[in-house]
Amino acid sequence: MNGRRRRTPAKSHRKPLLVGAGVAAVAAGAALAVGLWPGGDPGTSTGRQPSGRGSALAPESSPSASPSPDRTYPVSRTPRTIPAVREHTPARGPGWRPAKGGRVVVGDAELADEGRLLAKELGLSYAGGGEPRAGDVGLDLTDEDANPESYTLRVADGRVRISGTEEAGVFYGTRTLKQEVHGKATAPEGVVRDSPAKPQRGFMLDIARKHFTAGWIEDRIRELGDLKYNQLGLHFSDDQGFRIASDSHPEIVSKEHLTKAEVRRILALAASRHITVVPEIDSPGHLGAVIAAHPDLQLRNARGAATGGAVDISKPAAAKIVDELLDEYADLFPGRYWHLGADEYQALVVADPEASYPQLAAAAAKAYGSGAGVADLATGWLNDRAKTMRGHDRTLRAWNDGIFAGGTVQADEDLQVAYWTGKEIGARQPAEYLRSGRDLLNYNDEYLYYVLGQPNTFVYPTGQRIYEQWTPLVLRGTSPVPKQYDDQVLGASFAVWCDLSGSQTQAQVAAGIRMPLRALTQKLWDPREPSASWADFKGLADKLG
């Protein structure tokens, strides 16, 4: 995006972090210099074995290692960050914090954006290329064959060095450093080696039912970036509104909407934080805003009664307008991923879809043979929209209740399953999708759905429940799928849905999702069970801001 060199984590990157393997001892003789403060006579920096082999997020009172301190510096403690770092090799030394005269330097011009951002945040000067001297932070790209989101952060010899194989990893290292020195604290001496457990870590926002300002979305992007999320989903079309300006179909756009200029600013900010924006135009249901401008596309049953939000997929004009919108917004959103929706098509919630919607049954039989039904026609619609987006080279996902079992027509094999519910028709157990070889994304509505107004038995999720009870394998309800499927669960997304849009203000939404977002990133980044209590975790979050 924006010409930046980025590689998105794939399955090959889901190998476990090698905790404690081949970690070099921290160099001796760390000197007191710019960016440090007097802590006694200069001492010896002594390497220690990595901490972090046990449970994650150690309580604040626990040191990362327990040898007696020497005459100058105690052994360093594991940094306390959200998400927790997965490995820290402690050492003796004064550590580092930003001070007057300190600089950020980069060993690769492609890290200029990361360097400028960190310098601004820490009150340092950005010096461009060069070697870090005492008091500086150096950012580097390496040729190591590693997860592109991994990084190494070394504090030694009065300076900080952050390296990774890709810009994203280096950026995450700067987020760790930013948290380490928050509130005039000290980045501890030693080496952090860190990498995420899950390659997709997302937040999804329903901007269709409720208009969110560009500024509010940008604030969330900054928050997400600091928490090491890498996806922002935007659901911008639904029955209540269509919230991004359109050149191909301006007649469908709601009065309150984002301009394309605003979207481009959002995309640029997201790219600078290594966040991919994942658009969703849900179809063939949830298209009420389109139908309001094109009532001839409304699905009607055998009695002529309108079916809310649903287009008549037997009409070529319905596919034409949706494909025109997909093509238009593919040009606006350059990211790798696209969400096709496909959930809650109301023609399929009745007892006998073929009898209730004879025009759909006839179209299914014509397209796929006499044994085909309305579910087959809906699956064919999904596959056709996938074909449109494959022309834009996108990795595609759809809601689990839009991918049906059996039938004449099967959903394309490369569609990732966004698993959110077991309540809707067509919603099979997660293990059924996993056994068939599909990759899943966890949107579990029991823990990860923040639905404004709490309709239909929804309750606002809490960070504590996510932190204490949820794991990425808990895809439906409260029970996990077998561990053998861990690699097929690509990650998870917290989702804000605005069913009763007036129930909360933007500020209330931001406050309500604050701790759930922090708990979720902890569970997606570090697969170990946290040892710190929820109270300690919340206290850390409050301290870090």
Side-chain angles (χ1 to χ4, degrees):
M1 299 168 66
N2 293 348
R4 302 166 60 82
R5 182 167 69 95
R6 298 176 61 200
R7 203 165 57 228
T8 306
K11 282 188 178 181
S12 60
H13 305 134
R14 295 200 293 278
K15 54 189 177 185
L17 189 72
L18 300 178
V19 178
V23 178
V26 178
L32 196 63
V34 179
L36 308 179
W37 62 98
D41 296 331
T44 301
S45 176
T46 305
R48 290 290 183 263
Q49 291 300 309
S51 64
R53 288 194 183 98
S55 57
L57 204 68
E60 191 165 10
S61 60
S62 300
S64 57
S66 55
S68 299
D70 69 8
R71 66 188 180 89
T72 305
Y73 299 114
V75 71
S76 62
R77 297 173 180 264
T78 301
R80 288 175 54 78
T81 60
I82 297 175
V85 301
R86 295 179 64 184
E87 179 188 302
H88 177 244
T89 303
R92 297 184 190 278
W96 180 93
R97 66 181 175 189
K100 185 177 180 180
R103 308 175 304 157
V104 176
V105 299
V106 298
D108 191 301
E110 293 183 52
L111 295 172
D113 289 348
E114 288 75 16
R116 290 190 180 95
L117 175 63
L118 184 66
K120 180 179 179 181
E121 292 171 327
L122 300 189
L124 305 176
S125 62
Y126 176 69
E131 277 293 311
R133 63 195 184 198
D136 289 351
V137 179
L139 309 181
D140 292 287
L141 294 174
T142 70
D143 293 329
E144 183 182 1
D145 182 17
N147 183 325
E149 293 189 304
S150 66
Y151 67 91
T152 300
L153 187 157
R154 294 178 174 85
V155 179
D157 300 321
R159 66 209 72 193
V160 179
R161 293 178 181 269
I162 301 172
S163 61
T165 60
E166 292 284 350
E167 293 169 71
V170 175
F171 173 73
Y172 296 139
T174 69
R175 301 306 88 193
T176 295
L177 180 63
K178 179 183 177 182
Q179 289 194 26
E180 286 179 336
V181 301
H182 178 82
K184 298 184 179 180
T186 306
E189 202 85 5
V191 182
V192 168
R193 296 180 189 276
D194 205 9
S195 181
K198 292 298 180 183
Q200 296 192 41
R201 305 174 304 281
F203 169 61
M204 197 228 73
L205 181 63
D206 172 12
I207 64 172
R209 294 180 176 97
K210 182 180 180 70
H211 174 65
F212 288 86
T213 64
W216 190 92
I217 296 170
E218 289 166 353
D219 285 344
R220 300 289 74 70
I221 289 171
R222 296 182 184 96
E223 180 180 16
L224 294 170
D226 283 353
L227 294 171
K228 301 186 174 84
Y229 282 88
N230 62 6
Q231 291 184 11
L232 168 65
L234 291 180
H235 174 94
F236 64 92
S237 170
D238 213 301
D239 296 345
Q240 295 82 355
F242 193 100
R243 301 290 182 177
I244 296 178
S246 172
D247 298 318
S248 65
H249 289 282
E251 73 281 0
I252 70 174
V253 178
S254 302
K255 181 178 179 181
E256 286 188 308
H257 65 272
L258 298 174
T259 67
K260 288 191 174 181
E262 288 175 320
V263 172
R264 291 186 183 100
R265 288 197 297 271
I266 288 169
L267 291 168
L269 180 63
S272 75
R273 266 61 174 180
H274 296 274
I275 293 171
T276 298
V277 178
V278 184
E280 181 193 0
I281 299 177
D282 203 348
S283 76
H286 295 281
L287 283 172
V290 173
I291 293 168
H294 296 272
D296 54 306
L297 301 181
Q298 177 86 61
L299 176 64
R300 296 183 179 277
N301 66 16
R303 302 189 314 274
T307 302
V311 294
D312 188 333
I313 58 177
S314 69
K315 295 183 175 181
K320 181 176 183 293
I321 191 171
V322 172
D323 282 347
E324 287 169 350
L325 293 169
L326 292 173
D327 285 334
E328 176 182 358
Y329 291 103
D331 289 339
L332 179 63
F333 292 96
R336 170 182 174 182
Y337 299 99
W338 193 279
H339 200 316
L340 293 167
D343 64 314
E344 297 182 318
Y345 187 51
Q346 294 302 298
L348 293 169
V349 304
V350 297
D352 189 343
E354 286 70 35
S356 297
Y357 299 96
Q359 77 277 32
L360 300 184
K366 180 179 179 180
Y368 304 113
S370 59
V374 176
D376 295 302
L377 192 66
T379 301
W381 169 282
L382 173 61
N383 290 342
D384 287 344
R385 308 292 77 74
K387 182 178 180 181
T388 296
M389 291 311 300
R390 280 194 206 92
H392 298 283
D393 193 25
R394 302 305 162 91
T395 298
L396 304 171
R397 67 185 64 161
W399 298 114
N400 65 288
D401 55 316
I403 298 178
F404 304 100
T408 301
V409 183
Q410 297 298 304
D412 291 342
E413 292 182 358
D414 62 344
L415 290 175
Q416 296 177 355
V417 179
Y419 200 100
W420 71 280
T421 188
K423 301 169 185 174
E424 300 291 341
I425 188 158
R428 293 172 282 153
Q429 291 290 336
E432 292 187 43
Y433 299 94
L434 294 165
R435 281 195 298 269
S436 71
R438 289 192 185 273
D439 289 337
L440 267 63
L441 291 159
N442 191 327
Y443 290 76
N444 187 337
D445 64 350
E446 176 72 21
Y447 293 96
L448 307 180
Y449 261 35
Y450 192 95
V451 185
L452 297 197
Q454 304 183 112
N456 302 322
T457 73
F458 283 109
V459 295
Y460 292 128
T462 67
Q464 184 172 0
R465 283 196 76 212
I466 297 169
Y467 187 78
E468 295 178 344
Q469 300 176 18
W470 181 88
T471 74
L473 293 177
V474 180
L475 285 149
R476 172 172 170 161
T478 59
S479 300
V481 297
K483 290 183 179 180
Q484 71 192 70
Y485 297 120
D486 186 62
D487 276 359
Q488 288 174 248
V489 181
L490 303 180
S493 181
F494 192 81
V496 171
W497 293 102
C498 301
D499 292 41
L500 300 175
S501 60
S503 300
Q504 288 192 342
T505 65
Q506 290 186 141
Q508 288 172 323
V509 173
I513 66 178
R514 180 177 176 275
M515 286 311 300
L517 285 176
R518 283 151 180 78
L520 179 60
T521 192
Q522 174 62 38
K523 304 302 282 284
L524 290 173
W525 189 272
D526 191 333
R528 299 168 295 180
E529 181 179 352
S531 63
S533 68
W534 168 250
D536 286 342
F537 182 83
K538 187 175 184 301
L540 177 61
D542 292 342
K543 178 181 177 181
L544 295 175

